[in-house]
Amino acid sequence: MDIHLLNALGITNCALFKYNPEDDITCLTPELPWLADVVSLDDNNKLQRKHIPSIFLDDFFIDVDEVWKGDTSFTLSSGFWTEQTEDEVLRLEALAINSASGSRYLVVKNVEEQFDEKQQTLQAARELLLSHHEIVGQHEYIRHRLNSVLRKNTRLQKLVPPIQQAIHNIETGVVILDSEGALILDNKASHRLLLCNSTTPSSIRIGELIEDIDAPSTFLPALVQRKAPWQGEIYWQPVDDYKVWLQVTIHPVLHGDELTHWVYLFTDITHIHNREESVLTASGMDSLTKVANRNLFTDTVRRLVQEDTPFKLFIIDICDFKKINETLSYQSGDEILKSFALRLQTFIGNSGFIARIGSNEFALVKRLDTFTDVNGADYVHQLQSKVTQTYTVLNGSEPNLGVNIGEASFPEHCSSAETLLQCADIALQAAKYQGRNVALVYSDELHKQHHAIHELETELRNAIKNNELKLFLQPIVDLSSGKVVKCEALARWITPEGKFISPEIFIPLAEKSELIFPFGEWLINEACDAIEALKASNLDIRLAINISGRQVSDLALLTQIKNALEDHQLPGSNLSIELTESVFVESLDTVSVLLNELRAMGITVSIDDFGTGFSSLVYLKKLPIDELKIDRSFVSELENNTDDQAIVQAILGLASNLNIKIIAEGIETQQQQQFLQNHHCTYGQGYLYQRPVEISEFISLAQKLR
């Protein structure tokens, strides 16, 4: 569109200059009233380079010439500057443009509105900072005054009425408790901020506040031991319709080494937090971590690409952050995110740029010319080491984080900011698929793998949604009698085109994506349908299903099992749950709660693939486990391998002492069965008895063996 028309409409307010090969710079918009204060034009509207009134613009031409010399499409900004004229103050920005078509332009923009907006944002940020400092200062003043008074009057009997009256009327909430936590004095502001009433005094509310923020039992004693107050900001929602940000000071008053009083100070800073969030968003900052947000980060990456500056881009994902929020609390999760951002900023210093680009995702840009004494791989290793060290949070927990990292480079991998971010994200997704604490660099091969996995993931999602998966059953027999006493449910996937996709492919795919949750729900309901079919055929046997580690950490799992059993009107005694050993290592406390709940419902618990993972007597002793399944790798060569024989005998002896039954998997020969019978193994499973088959075929077999 014509720049003259844009200026006339008030859409823009800028001067446009075009450079030609004869070294003439022609002004295309000479009619602008403020232009004469910035540049000098001759009668033909040619820019007079030797007579530029603006010192700043004259200096900028050094960079302009460099931009115009090159053959690369590029735009360089001068940043904002100010020109003082006789009549007004101008706020200006210049852009040197080398276009893809080979044309060269200079744009000088009047950016009064943008400048004012930026100044307003900065002023709002300064005001917020001053407001917050003022509140903290008030707390400090009140704390010191009360500390002085209370140390002189340890029983508070000589506190004169004027002091009590002053406390009662100040806007800061004040609560004074004795060393045992009994209320000595409070004021109107504390009643309002803490929602106190006749049945819930301020002393009770303070106890609730300390409990709601998950402070450890050592929190208050530690303040007494250190003889130091605690100050901080707390988000509190004691009831549904009341939520508040509080600036809180907790001060132990001591007479010598003896605790005499507790002083609590409260100020409502909700308005500061609300304004801070809008100010930070306007300035391109993340309101929680105070680092750049996604928009500012994307703009930065675009600028580096435009400047043709080689750099590396890293996307960093904190593993299983949802679990951290659920187990430690969302407040602890926020503490960790703030500490994580600070560690990243400390690590990179001035040699790069970081941002928070997702709930638990951060991004980092580092120019290639700053890798002076370290290569890319070593740099990533150092980064992982820095951000995964132990974190200490308010509730006393000390979690160790895992991070996955995806890396891409400009211009090696991509030529635009958007595609570069996509490349780094592809590398990140591939790293997450491989496990925890994995870092990968983008490549074409990785892109192909990602595309194939994404396609298969989409097909699996549709297969679950359209109920295309089938449940097969494999018998588990009593080795002493040969009777079928149990069966294992195994998912099979045959596409509508008749293609068989191995569970060794689609089960790990589900576990590494969010599909494990709908898949798990499908499996539980299908298992209950199968139990009903078995009962209808007079086969009262248990059916076992496998539960992955990710399902165990999902709080909805227990509800899904309960609901499925209730919907099918089945007792828990018809169901068995199989877990792998790695689940116990990663989340022993969570698993312990789950297993006790399952056992209370009558559901039995088995450890699958025993001996192949992190075998530990601790969980065999502490957890309610009914059965161990010896992995097929120890059974497959049982006839001739003396090491396998020794391992199997040791497991059988251990289980016997702990009163745990044993199921041997993968039995294929009579000799393997005979060895297990001779050493008193309880149950067997394998191709010797039956391969996994559809439910109707399994029922026919089980009825024959009955």
Side-chain angles (χ1 to χ4, degrees):
M1 184 177 285
D2 189 346
I3 193 68
H4 299 80
L5 180 58
L6 291 176
N7 283 336
L9 292 173
I11 296 172
T12 184
N13 189 4
C14 68
L16 180 64
F17 299 80
K18 185 174 182 180
Y19 170 80
N20 62 45
E22 286 74 34
D23 200 29
D24 287 329
I25 302 172
T26 304
C27 180
L28 306 180
T29 55
E31 71 282 354
L32 289 170
W34 50 265
L35 189 58
D37 295 310
V38 182
V39 298
S40 295
L41 304 176
D42 64 16
D43 294 339
N44 297 315
N45 295 326
K46 306 293 184 185
L47 178 70
Q48 294 183 296
R49 285 283 298 269
K50 294 182 180 180
H51 304 285
I52 297 178
S54 169
I55 297 173
F56 191 95
L57 183 60
D58 188 41
D59 186 60
F60 181 59
F61 259 103
I62 298 172
D63 297 320
V64 172
D65 290 334
E66 291 299 316
V67 172
W68 285 349
K69 279 180 188 175
D71 297 324
T72 308
S73 177
F74 188 67
T75 299
L76 177 67
S77 168
S78 66
F80 292 174
W81 88 89
T82 301
E83 293 287 344
Q84 179 69 56
T85 72
E86 291 183 4
D87 302 320
E88 62 179 333
V89 175
L90 297 174
R91 312 295 187 185
L92 303 170
E93 179 189 17
L95 299 173
I97 302 171
N98 189 338
S99 71
S101 63
S103 300
R104 272 73 166 161
Y105 295 95
L106 173 70
V107 179
V108 181
K109 301 165 60 179
N110 189 321
V111 290
E112 186 71 34
E113 291 185 7
Q114 297 95 316
F115 183 87
D116 289 345
E117 184 179 321
K118 183 177 180 181
Q119 290 301 107
Q120 288 170 9
T121 299
L122 292 172
Q123 181 59 27
R126 284 193 289 269
E127 289 173 0
L128 286 174
L129 187 63
L130 289 172
S131 298
H132 189 261
H133 282 184
E134 183 180 350
I135 290 169
V136 172
Q138 288 172 353
H139 277 221
E140 280 296 286
Y141 175 76
I142 296 169
R143 182 178 71 79
H144 282 295
R145 290 295 305 271
L146 287 176
N147 185 63
S148 175
V149 170
L150 292 170
R151 289 182 66 184
K152 293 176 183 177
N153 305 278
T154 56
R155 298 185 181 278
L156 209 65
Q157 294 173 340
K158 299 178 182 178
L159 196 61
V160 294
I163 294 178
Q164 292 189 21
Q165 191 66 27
I167 292 173
H168 189 66
N169 289 319
I170 61 174
E171 286 299 308
T172 301
V174 178
V175 178
I176 302 174
L177 308 179
D178 66 16
S179 59
E180 302 299 321
L183 180 63
I184 299 294
L185 183 70
D186 59 11
N187 66 355
K188 291 188 296 184
S190 67
H191 290 185
R192 173 173 49 82
L193 294 173
L194 298 176
L195 289 185
C196 299
N197 52 44
S198 57
T199 58
T200 313
S202 54
S203 56
I204 299 295
R205 281 297 193 204
I206 284 174
E208 293 174 353
L209 175 64
I210 298 294
E211 183 179 343
D212 286 348
I213 63 173
D214 294 324
S217 58
T218 56
F219 175 58
L220 294 178
L223 299 183
V224 176
Q225 186 178 5
R226 295 200 306 265
K227 299 183 179 180
W230 178 88
Q231 280 190 342
E233 300 173 12
I234 291 174
Y235 177 76
W236 192 39
Q237 187 171 3
V239 294
D240 290 340
D241 58 350
Y242 179 74
K243 49 189 176 182
V244 64
W245 276 98
L246 294 172
Q247 177 71 33
V248 180
T249 297
I250 303 174
H251 175 62
V253 180
L254 292 97
H255 188 71
D257 291 331
E258 181 185 356
L259 176 70
T260 61
H261 298 90
W262 286 102
V263 172
Y264 291 84
L265 306 177
F266 306 94
T267 302
D268 185 350
I269 57 170
T270 306
H271 64 292
I272 291 180
H273 263 269
N274 291 342
R275 286 182 62 201
E276 179 184 42
E277 187 162 347
S278 62
V279 166
L280 286 170
T281 301
S283 59
M285 306 302 286
D286 175 57
S287 59
L288 176 66
T289 60
K290 309 299 189 290
V291 299
N293 61 20
R294 188 180 188 94
N295 289 336
L296 181 56
F297 182 78
T298 304
D299 289 343
T300 302
V301 173
R302 287 196 187 106
R303 179 174 56 78
L304 288 171
V305 169
Q306 287 175 347
E307 294 172 359
D308 202 23
T309 303
F311 64 93
K312 286 184 179 292
L313 167 65
F314 305 89
I315 299 182
I316 307 157
D317 177 86
I318 303 175
C319 302
D320 300 319
F321 197 73
K322 180 185 176 201
K323 189 189 298 184
I324 290 173
N325 278 333
E326 290 175 347
T327 55
L328 299 183
S329 80
Y330 284 87
Q331 184 179 4
S332 295
D334 286 349
E335 286 185 67
I336 290 171
L337 288 173
K338 288 189 280 189
S339 298
F340 189 92
L342 182 60
R343 288 191 190 184
L344 265 184
Q345 190 67 71
T346 303
F347 176 78
I348 196 170
N350 295 323
S351 67
F353 182 81
I354 69 166
R356 183 185 179 206
I357 61 172
S359 61
N360 60 308
E361 277 190 1
F362 290 78
L364 184 157
V365 157
K366 185 174 171 65
R367 287 169 35 164
L368 289 187
D369 59 13
T370 63
F371 286 91
T372 53
D373 54 357
V374 64
N375 61 41
D378 289 341
Y379 183 80
V380 169
H381 180 73
Q382 293 170 12
L383 170 61
Q384 285 180 308
S385 177
K386 176 75 173 180
V387 298
T388 56
Q389 293 171 9
T390 303
Y391 290 74
T392 302
V393 294
L394 184 63
N395 73 354
S397 301
E398 295 186 341
N400 289 304
L401 301 187
V403 295
N404 292 116
I405 300 176
E407 175 187 336
S409 297
F410 173 82
E412 179 184 353
H413 295 133
C414 301
S415 58
S416 72
E418 287 70 21
T419 52
L420 188 68
L421 285 162
Q422 289 173 5
C423 290
D425 190 60
I426 286 170
L428 173 64
Q429 298 310 317
K432 290 163 71 173
Y433 187 80
Q434 289 189 17
R436 186 181 176 93
N437 288 325
V438 177
L440 292 178
V441 180
Y442 174 82
S443 67
D444 290 339
E445 184 60 32
L446 210 60
H447 197 162
K448 291 176 185 175
Q449 292 175 10
H450 173 78
H451 182 69
I453 290 171
H454 179 72
E455 282 193 338
L456 188 61
E457 202 175 291
T458 301
E459 290 177 23
L460 179 57
R461 180 177 288 105
N462 291 332
I464 296 170
K465 180 181 177 181
N466 299 328
N467 203 27
E468 293 173 6
L469 302 179
K470 290 185 179 296
L471 204 65
F472 280 40
L473 303 182
Q474 186 175 31
I476 297 172
V477 303
D478 186 321
L479 291 179
S480 61
S481 66
K483 291 182 178 179
V484 176
V485 292
K486 191 176 178 179
C487 62
E488 181 178 359
L490 301 163
R492 294 293 181 262
W493 182 12
I494 302 172
T495 68
E497 296 78 26
K499 180 183 176 184
F500 175 79
I501 299 177
S502 169
E504 293 182 359
I505 294 176
F506 76 82
I507 297 294
L509 177 66
E511 288 182 336
K512 294 176 188 299
S513 68
E514 296 304 307
L515 291 178
I516 192 61
F517 302 111
F519 171 78
E521 189 169 8
W522 170 86
L523 180 62
I524 291 165
N525 283 296
E526 287 293 308
C528 288
D529 286 342
I531 292 171
E532 284 187 334
L534 294 173
K535 283 181 169 292
S537 302
N538 296 317
L539 292 171
D540 192 16
I541 60 177
R542 286 184 186 268
L543 183 145
I545 58 173
N546 286 277
I547 299 297
S548 78
R550 291 193 66 195
Q551 286 173 280
V552 167
S553 64
D554 182 25
L555 302 178
L557 174 64
L558 195 62
T559 303
Q560 288 174 359
I561 293 174
K562 286 180 178 177
N563 290 343
L565 290 173
E566 288 175 4
D567 290 345
H568 291 78
Q569 297 183 332
L570 295 172
S573 56
N574 285 124
L575 191 62
S576 182
I577 298 294
E578 295 185 358
L579 303 167
T580 58
E581 293 176 272
S582 59
V583 174
F584 300 97
V585 176
E586 293 171 3
S587 19
L588 184 60
D589 293 337
T590 306
V591 173
S592 179
V593 173
L594 173 69
L595 297 193
N596 281 299
E597 290 277 359
L598 293 174
R599 286 287 296 274
M601 295 163 60
I603 298 171
T604 58
V605 177
S606 303
I607 298 180
D608 199 11
D609 303 335
F610 185 76
T612 61
F614 306 90
S615 304
S616 171
L617 296 179
V618 173
Y619 60 71
L620 291 181
K621 180 180 177 182
K622 286 187 174 182
L623 299 175
I625 295 167
D626 300 289
E627 299 165 340
L628 299 179
K629 298 189 76 174
I630 301 177
D631 186 68
R632 66 184 68 249
S633 61
F634 299 118
V635 176
S636 60
E637 299 180 7
L638 203 52
E639 305 97 317
N640 305 313
N641 191 314
T642 55
D643 289 340
D644 286 346
Q645 292 174 5
I647 291 171
V648 169
Q649 288 182 68
I651 295 173
L652 289 168
L654 174 67
S656 177
N657 291 330
L658 293 173
N659 197 29
I660 296 175
K661 293 182 173 62
I662 290 289
I663 302 172
E665 294 184 291
I667 301 175
E668 297 185 3
T669 67
Q670 292 289 344
Q671 293 91 331
Q672 293 166 359
Q673 176 182 260
Q674 191 61 53
F675 180 91
L676 293 163
Q677 285 176 324
N678 292 343
H679 292 87
H680 311 293
C681 181
T682 317
Y683 304 124
Q685 179 181 357
Y687 290 174
L688 179 64
Y689 313 107
Q690 180 66 59
R691 291 174 177 268
V693 293
E694 292 193 44
I695 295 172
S696 58
E697 189 176 344
F698 173 84
I699 290 173
S700 299
L701 170 72
Q703 287 175 331
K704 290 176 184 177
L705 293 177
R706 188 174 57 179

